[in-house]
Amino acid sequence: MSRGRAVNACCVRWAVRGLASRRAWRIPKVAGAMAPLGEGSDDPVLPDLPRGPLHAARARASFPWKELALFWEGPDMLRFKKNIFSALENDPLFAHPPGSLSLEKYRELTFLRCKRVFEYDFLRVEDLLGSPLRVLALIQCLGMYDWSLATKFFLHTLTFGSAIYSSGSERHFKYLPKIFTMEIFGCFALTEVSHGSNTKAMRTTAHYDPTTEELIIHSPDFEAAKFWVGNLGKTATHAVVFAQLYTPGGQCHGLHPFVVQIRDPKTLLPMPGVMVGDIGRKLGQNGLDNGFAMFHKVRIPRQDLLNRSGDITPEGTYVTHVKDARQHFSESLGSLSSGRVAIAGMSVVNLKLAVSIALRFSATRRQFGPTDEEEVPVLEYPMQQWRLLPYLAAAYALDHFSKSLFLDLVELQQGLLGKDRSARQAELGREIHALASAGKPLASWTAQRGIQECREACGGHGYLAMNRLGDLRDDNDPNCTYEGDNSVLLQQTSNYLLGLLVRRDQGGARIESPLKTVDFLEAYPNLLGHRFEGSSPEDCLDSSVPLAAYEWLVCYLLRESYQKLNQEKQSGSNDFEARNNCQVRVCFKGCFSNDSLLIPAPSCPW
Amino acid sequence: MSRGRAVNACCVRWAVRGLASRRAWRIPKVAGAMAPLGEGSDDPVLPDLPRGPLHAARARASFPWKELALFWEGPDMLRFKKNIFSALENDPLFAHPPGSLSLEKYRELTFLRCKRVFEYDFLRVEDLLGSPLRVLALIQCLGMYDWSLATKFFLHTLTFGSAIYSSGSERHFKYLPKIFTMEIFGCFALTEVSHGSNTKAMRTTAHYDPTTEELIIHSPDFEAAKFWVGNLGKTATHAVVFAQLYTPGGQCHGLHPFVVQIRDPKTLLPMPGVMVGDIGRKLGQNGLDNGFAMFHKVRIPRQDLLNRSGDITPEGTYVTHVKDARQHFSESLGSLSSGRVAIAGMSVVNLKLAVSIALRFSATRRQFGPTDEEEVPVLEYPMQQWRLLPYLAAAYALDHFSKSLFLDLVELQQGLLGKDRSARQAELGREIHALASAGKPLASWTAQRGIQECREACGGHGYLAMNRLGDLRDDNDPNCTYEGDNSVLLQQTSNYLLGLLVRRDQGGARIESPLKTVDFLEAYPNLLGHRFEGSSPEDCLDSSVPLAAYEWLVCYLLRESYQKLNQEKQSGSNDFEARNNCQVRVCFKGCFSNDSLLIPAPSCPW
């Protein structure tokens, strides 16, 4: 599934430049002026909440909610978000229509809304420079409204646009202004019917014909059809298509990106040789038109090869600055991480929404009580608190985690911009890749389970579509899959951790990393001698106690995995077999799937 | 949510009698003749599977699948199911239309299909007598096709019909033939907007007016509106409405069922004083029209009180044979259990479907391999097996469990039919109630998580609506809620277990039960001295090892809960507070939510 390549390589760098150049075309600015943020109750950014059924519960809070909001977001970010929400609230195009929309109508409406979001000019360059988190915040605000819109907008601007900017060169910059005027509409076509995770095995081909200086894009069969591509179903006029590049003589140079025109921008009719269509209803995000495409010997100019990592001379010679696969992999880590970091943040939004709905319902829904006359809000029941409050805590923890990881990513991207080739930069890339590969599964699975728990905790009313928990679950679900299936991704983190052990065992290297997230492993395996010290629930409230348990658990699982891997290799398994036979241990799925890292079961004896 | 009262009190008893009398009206029989079941490959009931992409995986099976099917279902049940599937397959009304249906169209089509199911006469009295499991099998076969249809059919026949038969008396049997001709169409209206779990707090009233010998059905306000009622949205002409019965002078006699006409059967227009409508889109089962109704002083004849547990004389005197609340509760246990047992079986069907889809996909989907040329079916990866195979095993275990519990329930119902008032009969009622109250959560949660795991294990393709995993998840979801929220239900089982301990501690009673499911607790608390004996994975393959661990765990949690409950009471909490403050411990949610009873994580160190 390609749709999740939401914030692609160098998105910040590109956004800054792209938006800067965009100012020149004077797209009308619709967003209203922002009022200053004060402390009074008539503050336009944090107005008092209206009195209603929730008032009693809110009045019992032990802290002032406005101070928490200010502490958590800061006044600038609060204003930025309020500005977006106000614009959408006041625009009839964004009103939720009564009843349900047909698939066709919903997709059409999402396209119109996407166009309108461009006109609002929410992301201003002068703001962005001081606060790169605004990129993430804009995705999240649009997603809070509707993920179909958020993904449609970002697939076109950040994913398609960023791919052209960061994988191409100056000869491709002609496309960029057309992106901002929506003169062309883009998509990112990597996934094929039969290949998603295994990108190397993609089968679309691009043969170079030196006689016409053209590349011939071709799908050998149905299994090689591009599939799942967001925006391709109905609206994309152009795609960044990944294909195996062949030079005359038949040599294959691996997967490369090409700009391919899919439809006529005036009529939206397919270009000759392109068979394109909508893949139909999905479990969620149905405002987004995911599509398929097959190419029958479609000819494009040589110049439409996005040539950052490799190019073809007019005569048909392949030229590249990339020395080997290792360098190629290292350079692509940042690109892989950015999508995953964005998805972690998107998942947090869904968890926040679900927990808010469920807690508000629980504070007003009454059922049973000490007497027949007096019923108690269900939120007062310890069982309901136990079901919901850990997810509220998780929303805060993961919100902080996803933002700080995003800022680390910005640092990494700035290093790439500055052509930093230091060991620290390379190590930072690996560490962030490992964090993003575990953080995305943690956030998306926690959100998926949290939404389901919220649905159930709201009883029958949680099952009514208008209460949105179904949409949240359905829209969050692909976060577990795109940009790497969660179970597969976890193996990348465990491979990183095992690699640290191997490097220490084989060369005596210290275990340390730029963000210091793995430094505690320097105490491996001695940490395994530590014993759990807590003897009461109160002891466990000291965060050092669960943290020590977490460190022990990581060491334990690492030791088990390391031993199993070595055993497999000694018994003659090749690398592929050895990894497969211990992958269940290697990755921490056992822990994640039991939520035990995040949400301990209060009655568990261990 | 009322829709889940799918197989109500005495469903078998009623079905036998109802269907017997139905023979007299000669509804045309559409179902084809059944051929004998042979062993050959051209057997019409178990034909060979067509050769296709799955052939290679199937050819590697270590057992003959036809023998397993025969062993598991028996030839008669296989024929019965085949007969239903063939009828639906060959009838254009049941063809799945291309594209998606509007809500209105889907509900209309489900009504037409429901009517057609009546014409098929699948359940024959002569078969049913020898095999009561056919009731469950018919629900499940229709549900395999579409749960909206299955629930619509059974809410009308078994739930509405059974409520009239088992809660009413001979004066109400006039309604029964009209049910089978669909001259009237019924629903079961218990749940209100503000009350589901707490049935005692329902607020619809029925005041008796002796001057006209009528009952006045009234909804005091919106919160008392009947809500979630399946079939009520568009199609029900009659409802069994639960309301607080008041006699002249203002005395309330508690909740009683009444037959109330909702719509004109010819025009489907609401009757005077009835405000009725559809509650709108739900997360799933959208072919079923769940509805709401408010009554403004609607008058019905005195005779339409369903008078099995209490009646009113023409003068307005309340008469009843029920001695006290305890007897009333005891008599209603069978009714509560039957819905939950049915839901356990329905959940298993969803799990079976999801696991079949995911395993078949995994056997044909190839990704990565030992060399670039050779890709491996993803089912060959230990990780994929670890994700899916425990759910395959759970489907078999839960299928057997739900069927055997259903047969135990039939034994209980037969005892009620024969007016068995023995201590064993009462104890059997309590035991089945406890099993059903834990079995429904176990089955529905396992199915819910299993479907989600299957969805994710199929990657992007699992997110495409046509692959059905979304519908299965959405249609299974309410199984976690109706007939009692799973978390609330578990407390009923734990209360039963705690009650056994209390009875032994206070009166020295042996811990034993008719089905012997709790007899092992006689060894409590000595069992807690047992230690885990397994030292290798092989040891754990001996089923006595996990069984001993399960027994230890139940004892451990019981002891913790019992101690906590006693502490709470000693510290001055009343019963309501004491139960609330230890409910998280009391119920086994901690275990269920970690799947640890069912699906151990292979890498867990404990």
Side-chain angles (χ1 to χ4, degrees), chain B residues 293-512:
Chain B
M294 287 184 74
F295 303 97
H296 184 72
K297 298 182 182 166
V298 173
R299 288 180 170 260
I300 61 170
R302 178 181 67 85
Q303 288 78 4
D304 281 345
L305 162 62
L306 293 167
N307 59 333
R308 172 129 336 176
S309 71
D311 206 351
I312 299 182
T313 63
E315 300 73 33
T317 306
Y318 183 72
V319 287
T320 178
H321 74 280
V322 178
K323 279 179 241 149
D324 53 23
R326 192 177 160 80
Q327 188 193 344
H328 191 260
F329 178 70
S330 180
E331 289 193 359
S332 67
L333 280 186
S335 158
L336 291 172
S337 294
S338 51
R340 293 168 192 170
V341 171
I343 290 170
M346 291 156 69
S347 302
V348 175
V349 169
N350 291 324
L351 184 60
K352 280 185 202 172
L353 289 168
V355 167
S356 304
I357 293 168
L359 285 175
R360 290 174 188 172
F361 176 78
S362 302
T364 53
R365 173 79 171 181
R366 290 165 182 269
Q367 207 79 178
F368 298 107
T371 67
D372 283 351
E373 286 69 43
E374 181 193 352
E375 284 194 300
V376 173
V378 294
L379 189 54
E380 301 295 321
Y381 290 95
M383 174 69 86
Q384 193 80 349
Q385 295 170 8
W386 182 70
R387 293 171 81 173
L388 297 177
L389 297 187
Y391 285 111
L392 175 64
Y396 274 96
L398 290 172
D399 191 57
H400 178 73
F401 166 73
S402 69
K403 283 182 202 159
S404 69
L405 190 58
F406 181 83
L407 292 176
D408 294 332
L409 182 71
V410 170
E411 186 196 330
L412 180 73
Q413 305 284 22
Q414 283 169 341
L416 286 176
L417 251 181
K419 303 208 184 298
D420 182 346
R421 303 250 186 256
S422 66
R424 184 186 183 281
Q425 170 77 7
E427 200 53 50
L428 183 65
R430 279 191 284 275
E431 184 176 19
I432 288 178
H433 179 251
L435 287 169
S437 298
K440 181 217 145 192
L442 177 65
S444 57
W445 273 336
T446 303
Q448 200 66 15
R449 283 176 197 142
I451 297 165
Q452 179 67 24
E453 191 68 58
C454 289
R455 200 304 283 154
E456 293 180 31
C458 291
H461 293 296
Y463 194 63
L464 206 54
M466 68 181 300
N467 293 325
R468 210 185 164 185
L469 293 166
D471 282 343
L472 290 177
R473 183 177 65 184
D474 292 341
D475 286 355
N476 186 74
D477 197 6
N479 290 336
C480 304
T481 298
Y482 42 47
E483 290 296 299
D485 169 75
N486 280 357
S487 297
V488 175
L489 279 196
L490 287 179
Q491 295 171 48
Q492 305 204 4
T493 304
S494 56
N495 285 342
Y496 166 77
L497 293 173
L498 285 170
L500 296 174
L501 280 199
V502 171
R503 279 201 283 170
R504 189 179 71 160
D505 277 12
Q506 293 178 349
R510 271 189 76 79
I511 298 185
E512 58 186 359

Side-chain angles (χ1 to χ4, degrees), chain A residues 25-318:
Chain A
W25 312 315
R26 307 296 317 154
I27 288 170
K29 184 159 67 75
V30 186
M34 280 179 284
L37 183 72
E39 294 289 320
S41 65
D42 56 349
D43 187 298
V45 175
L46 286 179
D48 284 343
L49 295 163
R51 280 183 79 95
L54 281 168
H55 180 75
R58 284 179 169 144
R60 290 169 57 197
S62 59
F63 59 89
W65 69 269
K66 293 187 185 187
E67 282 182 32
L68 175 63
L70 273 168
F71 166 77
W72 198 259
E73 300 270 21
D76 288 345
M77 185 58 87
L78 285 177
R79 269 194 213 98
F80 178 70
K81 290 184 170 183
K82 176 80 178 175
N83 184 35
I84 298 170
F85 290 140
S86 300
L88 303 190
E89 264 175 24
N90 294 323
D91 187 335
L93 187 62
F94 293 87
H96 293 289
S100 52
L101 292 165
S102 72
L103 202 67
E104 305 289 310
K105 197 74 198 162
Y106 185 20
R107 290 182 177 179
E108 182 191 338
L109 197 54
T110 306
F111 181 77
L112 295 175
R113 287 170 178 161
C114 179
K115 209 160 181 309
R116 184 68 56 88
V117 168
F118 267 105
E119 295 163 11
Y120 274 115
D121 191 23
F122 290 122
L123 265 181
R124 300 173 194 191
V125 181
E126 60 271 26
D127 303 329
L128 196 61
L129 286 172
S131 172
L133 274 176
R134 292 197 176 191
V135 176
L136 199 62
L138 177 56
I139 306 178
Q140 296 184 346
C141 288
L142 293 179
M144 276 200 175
Y145 167 72
D146 183 356
W147 283 114
S148 293
L149 170 65
T151 46
K152 193 163 189 68
F153 179 75
F154 279 92
L155 283 172
H156 170 60
T157 51
L158 288 181
T159 312
F160 173 70
S162 163
I164 288 178
Y165 181 84
S166 62
S167 304
S169 58
E170 292 207 352
R171 74 187 192 220
H172 303 110
F173 290 177
K174 64 179 180 185
Y175 290 112
L176 297 180
K178 295 182 182 176
I179 290 175
F180 286 103
T181 52
M182 278 180 73
E183 201 176 319
I184 63 173
F185 199 71
C187 65
F188 185 89
L190 174 60
T191 300
E192 297 177 356
V193 167
S194 287
H195 289 97
S197 296
N198 190 2
T199 47
K200 271 175 72 180
M202 301 286 173
R203 299 228 314 277
T204 304
T205 56
H207 281 93
Y208 183 62
D209 178 357
T211 59
T212 59
E213 293 195 24
E214 286 173 323
L215 288 149
I216 306 160
I217 308 291
H218 188 66
S219 314
D221 56 39
F222 170 71
E223 286 191 47
K226 294 296 174 186
F227 207 80
W228 272 112
V229 183
N231 287 347
L232 183 58
K234 302 278 186 207
T235 45
T237 62
H238 289 68
V240 170
V241 173
F242 283 76
Q244 304 288 350
L245 173 61
Y246 287 87
T247 42
Q251 197 188 350
C252 179
H253 302 277
L255 215 55
H256 283 71
F258 306 85
V259 182
V260 182
Q261 186 171 349
I262 302 292
R263 291 183 175 91
D264 182 314
K266 296 266 186 276
T267 63
L268 289 185
L269 290 173
M271 299 303 287
V274 178
M275 184 164 75
V276 61
D278 195 307
I279 63 166
R281 185 174 284 277
K282 301 161 292 171
L283 270 56
Q285 297 196 12
N286 276 307
L288 179 67
D289 51 320
N290 292 69
F292 68 89
M294 287 183 73
F295 304 97
H296 184 72
K297 299 181 180 166
V298 173
R299 287 178 171 261
I300 61 170
R302 178 182 67 86
Q303 288 78 3
D304 281 344
L305 162 63
L306 293 168
N307 59 334
R308 171 124 344 172
S309 69
D311 206 351
I312 299 183
T313 64
E315 301 74 33
T317 306
Y318 183 73

Side-chain angles (χ1 to χ4, degrees), chain B residues 19 72 95 103 183 211 271 277 288 381 473 590:
Chain B
L19 286 163
W72 197 258
L103 202 66
E183 202 176 318
T211 58
M271 299 302 289
L288 179 68
Y381 290 95
R473 183 177 65 184

Side-chain angles (χ1 to χ4, degrees), chain B residues 25-282:
Chain B
W25 313 315
R26 309 296 317 157
I27 288 169
K29 186 161 66 77
V30 186
M34 281 180 284
L37 182 73
E39 295 289 321
S41 65
D42 57 350
D43 188 299
V45 176
L46 287 179
D48 284 342
L49 295 162
R51 279 184 79 97
L54 281 168
H55 181 74
R58 284 178 170 147
R60 290 169 58 197
S62 59
F63 59 88
W65 69 270
K66 292 188 186 187
E67 282 181 34
L68 176 62
L70 273 168
F71 167 77
W72 197 258
E73 300 270 22
D76 287 346
M77 186 59 87
L78 285 177
R79 269 196 213 99
F80 178 71
K81 290 183 169 182
K82 176 79 178 176
N83 185 35
I84 298 170
F85 290 141
S86 299
L88 304 189
E89 264 175 26
N90 294 323
D91 187 336
L93 187 62
F94 293 87
H96 292 290
S100 52
L101 292 166
S102 72
L103 202 66
E104 305 289 311
K105 197 72 198 163
Y106 185 19
R107 291 183 176 179
E108 182 191 338
L109 197 53
T110 306
F111 182 76
L112 295 175
R113 287 170 178 161
C114 180
K115 209 161 181 308
R116 183 67 56 87
V117 169
F118 267 105
E119 295 163 9
Y120 275 115
D121 190 24
F122 289 123
L123 266 181
R124 301 174 195 188
V125 181
E126 60 272 25
D127 303 330
L128 195 61
L129 286 173
S131 171
L133 274 176
R134 292 196 174 191
V135 176
L136 199 61
L138 177 56
I139 306 178
Q140 295 183 345
C141 287
L142 294 178
M144 276 200 175
Y145 167 72
D146 183 356
W147 283 114
S148 292
L149 170 64
T151 47
K152 193 162 190 65
F153 179 75
F154 279 91
L155 284 171
H156 170 60
T157 50
L158 288 181
T159 311
F160 173 70
S162 164
I164 288 179
Y165 182 84
S166 63
S167 304
S169 57
E170 291 208 352
R171 74 189 193 217
H172 303 110
F173 290 177
K174 64 180 180 184
Y175 289 112
L176 298 179
K178 295 182 182 176
I179 291 176
F180 286 105
T181 52
M182 279 180 71
E183 202 176 318
I184 63 174
F185 198 70
C187 65
F188 186 90
L190 173 62
T191 300
E192 297 177 356
V193 167
S194 287
H195 289 97
S197 295
N198 190 1
T199 47
K200 271 174 72 179
M202 301 286 173
R203 300 229 312 277
T204 304
T205 55
H207 282 91
Y208 183 61
D209 177 357
T211 58
T212 59
E213 293 194 24
E214 285 173 324
L215 287 148
I216 306 160
I217 309 291
H218 187 67
S219 314
D221 55 38
F222 170 70
E223 287 192 48
K226 293 297 172 185
F227 207 79
W228 273 112
V229 183
N231 287 347
L232 182 59
K234 301 279 187 208
T235 44
T237 61
H238 288 68
V240 169
V241 173
F242 283 76
Q244 304 288 350
L245 173 62
Y246 287 86
T247 41
Q251 196 189 348
C252 178
H253 303 277
L255 215 56
H256 283 71
F258 306 84
V259 182
V260 182
Q261 186 172 350
I262 301 292
R263 290 183 175 92
D264 180 315
K266 297 267 186 274
T267 63
L268 288 185
L269 290 172
M271 299 302 289
V274 179
M275 184 164 77
V276 61
D278 195 306
I279 64 167
R281 187 174 283 277
K282 300 161 293 171

